[in-house]
Structure formats: C-alpha cells, structure tokens
Amino acid sequence: MIVKKDKDIIQNYFEDNSGVRGSNADFVAIAEKEEDIPVFLKEMSAKKIPITVAGALTANTASGLAFGGVVLSLEKLNKIGEIKKIDESHALITVQAGARVSDIKAKTYSEGWLYPPDPTEKNAFIGGNIATNASGGRGFKFGVTRDYVKALKVAFADGSIAVIERGKYFADKNGNMIFDTNKGKKKITLPKYVLPNIKNAAGYYNQPQADLTDILIGSEGTLCVFIESVLKLIPHFKEVFGGIIFFDDRNKAYEFVKRIKSISKRAKSENLKNSINAMSLEYFDKNALFLIKDDYPIIPENAEAGIMFEQDVYEDNSDILMEQWIKEIEDNGINLEKVWFASNLSDMEKFRVFRHKIPEKVNEIVKKNKIPKVGTDFAVPDGKLSTIIDFCEQEFKNTGVLNLTFGHIGENHLHANIIATNECEYEECRKMYIRIAQKVVELGGTVSAEHGIGKLRHAFLAKMLGEEGFKELAQFKKSLDTNGILGVDNIFPKQYLI
C-alpha cells in the first residue's frame, strides 16, 4: 500500500466533474495488490475512519470525493485478463476494478468481441461503472452494466472477501439472503421500498428474489469495494452506420423516435435480420445544438432538436438496412438534406465526438464558473417523455438560467443541464430540480437512471423514497458495513447512520 499525505501531491483526488469544492482527506492510500484492500478496510473500520473509494473521478455526483477520512485509490489494480470464449455468441473477460473502460473495449475489439455498455466517459474505471450501474448511449439495445457482470470479487468493511457468481445467491420472497465470505456467512435483508420498474440507478437494488450481484452493483461505494469482475462479451458487429437528423419541430423528433423504437423492438423480438434495429437513439435540444454550433456549422439555424441514431450490422446486409432507414426517414416527411449520415465505424467516431462535445463544453463552463451544475438524470415510462420535457421547459423559462438537454431518448432518459453562474442562481436551480424530481416521480419515473445519487441528489431521491426509505437505506448499509465507514454521504445523508 502506498500512502500519500502531501496536500499538493494528492490535490487531484479532490476534484471531479461535479464542480463540487472543499473535498479533503487525511491521506490517500493506493492499493498495489488486491491483498492490500481487506487489510486496509479492517484497520480503518476498527478505527471508525471513513473511506471514500476513488476511481477515475469522472463522476458528476461527487460520489468519489472525500469530505474527511481517507481516500482509497484502486488505480494500480488495472489488469485486464485474457478473453475466454464460451461459444460463438459469448465470451468472458476478467478485469480488475481500476481497468479503464477504454482499455477493456480496445482489448475486446482487437479480438472480435464487444463489451456493450458504452458510457460517455471512456476513461472511467470499470469499478466506477459497476458502482453506478453505468450505461451510456447504446443502452437502448444493449442495456446497462448490470446485464454484463457475471461475477464479482469484493471486500467488505470488516476485511472479509467474497467471490460472488451470478446465479449463486438469491433473496427469498421476504428479501432475506445468506451468503459466504472467507470469514464466514453474512445475512442481509433487503429494503422494502418500491423502485420504478424502468432503467434506474437510484437506491439499493431490491427487486423480488434479487441476485446478490445485482444488489451490490449500483451501490456507489457504500456496501463494499469492488476488486475484480468477470464481464460478459458478445461478438462485435461487422459494420455500423448512423445519422444525425435535425428537426425544426421537436414534436416531430419525438414521433420519429417513437416509430423507430416500435420497429426496433419488433425486430428484436422476432429476430428480423433485414429490419431497422437501432443500437442507439440520442436526443439534443436546440440549446445543446447551439452550444456546439461554432464547431459544427452543419447544424441548421432553425434546428429545434436533433436525433442521432446508430445501426449495428452483423450480416452482409448493410445496404438493405440503410435503405430501410432512408425509407423511414422520408416516410416521416424528413428532408434528407437535413440528415448528416455516417456510413462506417470511422465516420461514426465523428458522431461520437459530436455527442461528447456537449458535456465537455458544459464541464468547461462549470469549471470556469466554479459553481456546480445541476444536472438531471431522470427517466420516465413510455408515453411520459414529452410531458416531462414540457414541464422542464416551463421551469427553465421561469428562471432564465442557461440550460440544455440531451441524452438517451430511446430509454426516455435525458440529462437536463442547468448551469448557474453564482451561488444564488445555484440555489434556485436546486429548488427547480426538486420540482422536476417531484414531477418525474408523479409520472412513475426515477430521478437517476445511470449516474447514481452520490452526495448531490439526496433531496431528489427523497421524492422517490421519503424519510422511511432513507432509514431503510441506512439500515441495509449497516448490515454490511457495521461502522458505516464506506462511501459516507453517498446515496443518503450521513445523519441517517447515527
């Protein structure tokens, strides 16, 4: 274990994409080998010293920022194992928690395999992705991180280690579960609150008869430390193409997406090879497009919305699929001159740069203002998206604060970024977000679909779970972290641990 205490040297562990200031710790401990972790956890737990696990610090919820106690960094635990082929459709790869998603993707791609989760931040550590159940732009087709974790090696606060294979441990109908560690058995009882049955990253997973791997995934560093994981791979697509469609009416964009979703779901359920089956559907509002218009003059002056789509190709039928997309675009009354097409993987990379340019610009503004942004991460059930967007638009007009919205429209999951320039505006933005969160919950949605709650979204999660829900969160955490030292203040306020 390497221990660093010099404040100047460890300063970079106190900043992430959230814009939050004031992070601090007594020291940073960098694990050099897996065996360092349980020893360190046991020692800190005995002393009741809080531990914040730091990954690549790419989060925007401050979940990896310490406010007291110590930081545990897994940056040196970055090994990526060899790919183990199971059959023509599946393979496995074992990776340590500090491996970067970009490196995992590069390794698997070089051997013809794909790790499907596609978070915007490719420099993130896989441990952080597992801790938040990250997804990204291709979640519409491929789902979330949870769907590709086959096994976990974790360390608990008492220094015990567990190797957990998917399908080995399940909660019973009352939410009770007993599982093995190297220091004996642990017993847990899941919280009783009800979470929406949509894409969700808010609160501990507690679906009926939940698998233990699913319970730990998305726990934001509060229940255990992820050491190693076994990930499922699928064959990489042969080709990919896509387009960005610019609309002069955002309602037309919603209708187009609705149509494509319907076609794609049918293609998937019926295994139709020569039908549209979108890999991703991304949305940009007019403010998001305006933010990057200087970089992309191709954006029309009157653009009210943009939709980016990707189509993955596995057979020699790229031309057939492209014809299907063009027909659908024209049938929806869209002028092909308002579509920016990409016909191969190299061209598609330009689209991904386009997509990522928006959050990059936002983060630049946030760092310059030195005021945290207020960024939504909501998702709502099918049929409710236009309702929540209209609600947000009215809230934005009432405040007049800089705002822009983009995200994963295929999953009804959007990020509204509300950017304050001073503390007064920031407080108004927070109040506005609480009103938005309330509306999201009323529509049956979630206040966080992929980024988690961290330290910044307690008030929003309260709209979903209430006071009793926070108490259940704290009680469950204590069942695996008796002294409450891991990820303090992540997911729920720390006072609930007292």
Side-chain angles (χ1 to χ4, degrees):
M1 185 76 77
I2 300 171
V3 175
K4 296 183 178 181
K5 296 184 178 181
D6 187 297
K7 297 300 181 183
D8 292 330
I9 293 176
I10 64 176
Q11 182 58 41
N12 60 309
Y13 292 92
F14 304 139
E15 298 177 4
D16 69 358
N17 287 338
S18 70
V20 170
R21 299 290 183 265
S23 175
N24 65 91
D26 294 335
F27 62 86
V28 174
I30 303 173
E32 295 181 275
K33 54 185 184 300
E34 293 184 0
E35 292 77 13
D36 289 342
I37 296 174
V39 175
F40 182 73
L41 292 179
K42 184 177 180 180
E43 179 185 353
M44 294 299 104
S45 185
K47 297 177 181 178
K48 297 185 178 181
I49 297 175
I51 299 173
T52 300
V53 181
L57 293 170
T58 56
N60 56 25
T61 64
S63 57
L65 295 182
F67 290 85
V70 301
V71 170
L72 172 60
S73 173
L74 307 182
E75 63 198 78
K76 289 188 176 295
L77 301 184
N78 57 8
K79 293 179 182 177
I80 299 175
E82 295 303 312
I83 294 172
K84 179 182 179 182
K85 182 178 177 180
I86 304 302
D87 54 36
E88 295 302 318
S89 301
H90 300 93
L92 300 175
I93 189 168
T94 300
V95 299
Q96 290 185 312
R100 293 189 185 275
V101 175
S102 58
D103 294 333
I104 296 171
K105 284 185 167 291
K107 165 77 172 179
T108 55
Y109 174 72
S110 69
E111 299 187 36
W113 295 94
L114 174 69
Y115 173 62
D118 196 49
T120 299
E121 182 51 74
K122 300 298 185 297
N123 284 322
F125 291 173
I126 189 64
N129 274 198
I130 294 171
T132 57
N133 190 32
S135 55
R138 293 172 175 171
F140 173 65
K141 183 168 190 175
F142 293 134
V144 297
T145 296
R146 175 175 284 121
D147 300 322
Y148 298 91
V149 176
K150 298 294 288 182
L152 292 168
K153 184 177 184 180
V154 302
F156 295 101
D158 61 1
S160 60
I161 299 286
V163 177
I164 303 158
E165 297 177 356
R166 181 172 292 280
K168 186 174 182 179
Y169 300 109
F170 294 96
D172 65 20
K173 63 180 181 180
N174 295 315
N176 299 313
M177 178 190 295
I178 298 175
F179 65 93
D180 298 308
T181 77
N182 66 337
K183 293 188 176 181
K185 297 184 181 297
K186 288 188 180 293
K187 181 179 180 180
I188 57 175
T189 301
L190 298 181
K192 304 298 183 184
Y193 51 66
V194 178
L195 295 172
N197 189 25
I198 58 174
K199 181 182 180 183
N200 178 59
Y204 298 133
Y205 185 93
N206 69 339
Q207 295 299 322
Q209 297 181 308
D211 189 298
L212 181 55
T213 56
D214 290 329
I215 295 166
L216 298 179
I217 294 168
S219 56
E220 299 191 51
T222 63
L223 300 180
C224 62
V225 175
F226 297 112
I227 298 174
E228 189 177 79
S229 59
V230 179
L231 307 176
K232 181 175 74 173
L233 309 177
I234 63 174
H236 203 286
F237 42 81
K238 290 183 177 181
E239 297 181 57
V240 62
F241 66 83
I244 299 177
I245 308 171
F246 299 104
F247 295 84
D248 55 15
D249 181 339
R250 72 182 187 201
N251 288 313
K252 292 179 181 177
Y254 304 156
E255 288 303 313
F256 178 76
V257 168
K258 182 179 179 181
R259 172 67 177 162
I260 295 300
K261 286 175 65 174
S262 176
I263 296 172
S264 297
K265 289 179 180 179
R266 179 170 176 263
K268 185 176 182 179
S269 64
E270 298 181 18
N271 196 28
L272 302 176
K273 302 295 186 182
N274 292 324
S275 172
I276 287 172
N277 190 353
M279 182 164 62
S280 69
L281 290 166
E282 295 287 286
Y283 171 81
F284 317 100
D285 77 353
K286 63 179 180 181
N287 291 345
L289 294 174
F290 180 79
L291 185 68
I292 60 173
K293 192 174 186 324
D294 288 345
D295 299 289
Y296 295 94
I298 193 173
I299 299 171
E301 292 290 342
N302 65 339
E304 289 288 317
I307 298 294
M308 186 180 89
F309 68 86
E310 290 181 296
Q311 171 74 61
D312 46 335
V313 182
Y314 298 86
E315 312 287 340
D316 294 326
N317 60 347
S318 181
D319 290 345
I320 295 173
L321 293 174
M322 177 65 86
E323 288 174 5
Q324 294 259 339
W325 276 98
I326 290 175
K327 182 179 184 302
E328 196 61 40
I329 290 169
E330 290 182 323
D331 286 352
N332 278 266
I334 300 167
N335 186 340
L336 290 178
E337 292 182 358
K338 292 188 176 182
V339 183
W340 176 17
F341 283 106
S343 59
N344 54 50
L345 192 58
S346 177
D347 287 347
M348 284 304 303
E349 188 59 30
K350 297 175 183 177
F351 280 7
R352 293 168 66 76
V353 173
F354 176 98
R355 162 67 173 82
H356 297 164
K357 178 70 71 174
I358 296 170
E360 286 174 6
K361 289 271 190 179
V362 170
N363 289 336
E364 288 174 9
I365 296 171
V366 169
K367 288 181 179 180
K368 181 180 178 181
N369 291 346
K370 297 183 179 180
I371 301 290
K373 75 175 179 183
V374 176
T376 74
D377 186 27
F378 64 73
V380 293
D382 282 341
K384 304 295 185 181
L385 188 63
S386 60
T387 301
I388 190 60
I389 292 180
D390 289 344
F391 182 87
C392 290
E393 283 292 318
Q394 189 58 52
E395 287 286 343
F396 299 155
K397 287 179 181 178
N398 292 341
T399 61
V401 177
L402 175 63
N403 65 86
L404 53 99
T405 300
F406 59 92
H408 321 307
I409 194 169
E411 301 157 274
N412 307 315
H413 170 205
L414 296 182
H415 304 297
N417 286 245
I418 315 157
I419 305 169
T421 59
N422 55 58
E423 290 290 346
C424 183
E425 281 187 352
Y426 176 69
E427 289 306 317
E428 286 303 311
C429 290
R430 292 277 297 180
K431 292 175 183 177
M432 176 172 56
Y433 192 174
I434 290 175
R435 295 192 293 272
I436 293 172
Q438 180 65 54
K439 186 65 175 179
V440 166
V441 173
E442 289 173 6
L443 294 172
T446 175
V447 297
S448 181
E450 68 173 339
H451 291 159
I453 299 301
K455 298 176 175 67
L456 298 183
R457 296 175 174 170
H458 299 159
F460 315 137
L461 183 60
K463 295 298 181 182
M464 285 178 63
L465 303 184
E467 181 83 7
E468 287 305 309
F470 278 162
K471 291 179 180 177
E472 290 183 52
L473 288 167
Q475 182 178 7
F476 182 67
K477 173 179 168 56
K478 286 182 178 179
S479 69
L480 291 174
D481 177 14
T482 304
N483 291 327
I485 66 165
L486 292 175
V488 175
D489 218 32
N490 282 353
I491 303 181
F492 60 89
K494 58 187 176 184
Q495 59 262 33
Y496 285 88
L497 289 172
I498 298 174

